[in-house]
Amino acid sequence: MKVKKIIPHIPVWEKGDRQDGIFSRSDFRWDRKRGVYICPSGKLLRTSGTVHDGRTLLYRASKRDCDVRPLRAKCCTNADARKIPRDLHEDARDVARRKMKTKAFARSRDERKRVEMRFAHLKTHHGFEPMRLRGLSGARDEFHLVAIVQNGSVTRRYVNLACIARTPREIGTDRQ
């Protein structure tokens, strides 16, 4: 596979963090060289190499290791041994996690939020659907058309507000 060196600018959603006192996935260290997870007590979690659901490898601890560990109550709960799922593309997610901690990522996230808020407004208030025109020039033209429509609705809103602010008596004096 050819590596494209694309820098991710979206956050990684962590779904493996636990709040109940049981070790989270982040408490287990990934050893990239050996291709294993290392638990907080230093034991290894290995995989059989079987891909589940077309995208996940399961890393399992040995039952013998888990039976004698003093940290078992914080690790295994009711299971015989701990298992950790790892996505086939987890290396890319690790890169994104490292980038999330940079100032450039924070700046990019803030800029992206501004744009996303405008898109949300366009979708909810102006019926903006997926792009119909293709390419950069098509996208630019479509955005210009949407901006014109949006500007028109804002102008119309100001005119309506100006008319409502005036009393009926003032409006009648304009005709004289």
Side-chain angles (χ1 to χ4, degrees):
M1 181 190 323
K2 184 179 178 184
V3 177
K4 296 183 181 181
K5 299 194 179 199
I6 298 171
I7 298 172
H9 285 271
I10 57 172
V12 177
W13 288 1
E14 299 294 349
K15 297 181 181 176
D17 291 340
R18 299 182 65 136
Q19 307 298 323
D20 58 358
I22 305 299
F23 287 136
S24 296
R25 180 182 162 166
S26 58
D27 294 319
F28 292 78
R29 191 169 48 89
W30 172 247
D31 185 338
R32 187 173 177 205
K33 284 185 180 178
R34 294 189 284 177
V36 296
Y37 275 100
I38 302 171
C39 78
S41 64
K43 302 295 182 180
L44 301 181
L45 285 78
R46 300 182 191 320
T47 182
S48 66
T50 303
V51 178
H52 300 272
D53 299 328
R55 60 180 224 186
T56 307
L57 292 171
L58 285 178
Y59 287 79
R60 300 174 195 266
S62 163
K63 183 178 177 330
R64 277 182 274 138
D65 288 343
C66 291
D67 282 342
V68 296
R69 285 189 22 206
L71 299 175
R72 179 177 170 74
K74 290 186 74 176
C75 184
C76 296
T77 61
N78 297 334
D80 290 337
R82 181 65 185 252
K83 64 181 174 186
I84 297 177
R86 182 173 175 85
D87 192 277
L88 293 175
H89 305 290
E90 196 68 30
D91 291 336
R93 293 169 55 90
D94 289 339
V95 170
R97 282 184 193 99
R98 284 193 302 273
K99 297 289 182 190
M100 283 171 50
K101 298 174 184 171
T102 64
K103 287 182 183 178
F105 181 89
R107 186 173 52 251
S108 170
R109 182 194 59 219
D110 292 343
E111 290 171 2
R112 193 178 59 252
K113 278 183 185 176
R114 271 188 241 126
V115 172
E116 292 294 336
M117 287 173 56
R118 290 186 178 124
F119 273 117
H121 180 80
L122 290 173
K123 285 176 75 175
T124 56
H125 299 291
H126 300 288
F128 189 68
E129 295 295 324
M131 301 292 276
R132 289 176 182 82
L133 303 175
R134 299 290 174 223
L136 290 176
S137 63
R140 184 188 62 237
D141 293 346
E142 193 160 342
F143 279 117
H144 285 154
L145 289 171
V146 170
I148 290 168
V149 169
Q150 193 174 18
N151 247 350
S153 69
V154 169
T155 304
R156 195 169 49 250
R157 205 173 308 144
Y158 283 130
V159 169
N160 287 339
L161 286 173
C163 288
I164 291 170
R166 297 172 62 190
T167 64
R169 185 174 170 195
E170 291 173 338
I171 294 172
T173 58
D174 288 345
R175 294 189 186 137
Q176 296 173 350

